Amino acid sequence: GAGVSQTPSNKVTEKGKYVELRCDPISGHTALYWYRQSLGQGPEFLIYFQGTGAADDSGLPNDRFFAVRPEGSVSTLKIQRTERGDSAVYLCASSGDTGEQFFGPGTRLTVL
Amino acid sequence: AQSVTQPDIHITVSEGASLELRCNYSYGATPYLFWYVQSPGQGLQLLLKYFSGDTLVQGIKGFEAEFKRSQSSFNLRKPSVHWSDAAEYFCAVGNTGGFKTIFGAGTRLFVKA
């Protein structure tokens, strides 16, 4: 596609539920990143992939958060047992040879 | 560990006036530095980046930034602000290779007529 896409654009869930957020990177981009942006804050690094492997997952807040990229393209961020504090906009970005990160529009997650 | 400080939460400038947004970073090695802009309803867009070489870098939309190692700063400047520049601006620092990127809290720019 022309840019990074993320689905859904909005997700409302109840505390304790499981959610999956999807990211489709720009075709050919080998690196993929996940960030979380809370209201009034800058994006917070969560994890980045180089190909299929998680090269740095040091930003994942706890073991309720997990991300995969099984074929080196699409990635899914998975959150178990959601908490109200998980409410935020989850941003995905991808980059190619230049290293410039191109961001998607984000998924707004609301945990009730 | 990497960190970024943007001291100004918001700034208001008159249209046509000059602009400087401050950014201070902390990183043990040579940093990769970025400025992004986020407009309401829009995704984050890269304005400019510094990896090495000339410490004054030019970006899109008439923006420039200067890397000052001695001050650990990477301030963003524009000589004449347009109303369409009103947005949130984020400074960010990347580790070697630029992959793990840490963002500042942002500075919201308001432009008055």
Side-chain angles (χ1 to χ4, degrees):
Chain A
V4 178
S5 62
Q6 293 185 246
T7 54
S9 55
N10 279 283
K11 176 71 176 178
V12 180
T13 191
E14 294 180 343
K15 180 175 178 294
K17 298 290 188 182
Y18 168 84
V19 297
E20 290 190 352
L21 311 180
R22 176 187 168 108
C23 173
D24 280 87
I26 292 172
S27 178
H29 278 187
T30 56
L32 183 146
Y33 314 77
W34 283 100
Y35 296 87
R36 176 170 69 176
Q37 187 173 22
S38 301
L39 195 62
Q41 299 295 316
E44 174 192 6
F45 172 83
L46 296 177
I47 185 172
Y48 94 86
F49 289 87
Q50 192 65 252
T52 60
D56 188 332
D57 64 357
S58 61
L60 294 177
N62 51 60
D63 61 6
R64 296 187 297 105
F65 288 75
F66 190 71
V68 296
R69 195 186 185 200
E71 297 178 356
S73 178
V74 170
S75 177
T76 304
L77 178 65
K78 308 180 181 192
I79 310 174
Q80 298 177 318
R81 305 183 304 280
T82 52
E83 300 176 357
R84 293 195 179 88
D86 298 334
S87 297
V89 175
Y90 288 81
L91 298 170
C92 176
S94 68
S95 67
D97 293 340
T98 67
E100 177 180 347
Q101 294 184 33
F102 294 84
F103 283 81
T107 293
R108 181 175 298 279
L109 175 66
T110 302
V111 182
L112 301 177
Chain B
Q2 303 150 256
S3 67
V4 177
T5 302
Q6 293 183 248
D8 303 304
I9 297 173
H10 56 80
I11 281 182
T12 300
V13 299
S14 298
E15 191 168 18
S18 64
L19 170 71
E20 182 168 28
L21 301 182
R22 297 183 291 165
C23 172
N24 291 94
Y25 69 89
S26 175
Y27 183 60
T30 300
Y32 286 58
L33 295 163
F34 310 86
W35 274 99
Y36 287 85
V37 61
Q38 188 174 43
S39 300
Q42 304 289 319
L44 279 158
Q45 182 181 23
L46 181 68
L47 287 176
L48 48 79
K49 61 181 185 274
Y50 171 79
F51 288 170
S52 64
D54 192 347
T55 56
L56 184 64
V57 293
Q58 302 297 321
I60 62 171
K61 304 185 180 185
F63 286 92
E64 66 177 28
E66 187 171 12
F67 169 56
K68 292 185 177 180
R69 184 186 298 275
S70 62
Q71 299 176 19
S72 298
S73 69
F74 189 58
N75 295 348
L76 182 72
R77 301 194 294 250
K78 186 169 185 177
S80 177
V81 168
H82 188 262
W83 65 266
S84 60
D85 293 324
E88 186 94 26
Y89 291 81
F90 295 97
C91 182
V93 59
N95 61 352
T96 301
F99 293 112
K100 180 176 181 179
T101 306
I102 304 300
F103 284 77
T107 297
R108 179 163 293 278
L109 173 65
F110 297 95
V111 180
K112 60 183 182 181

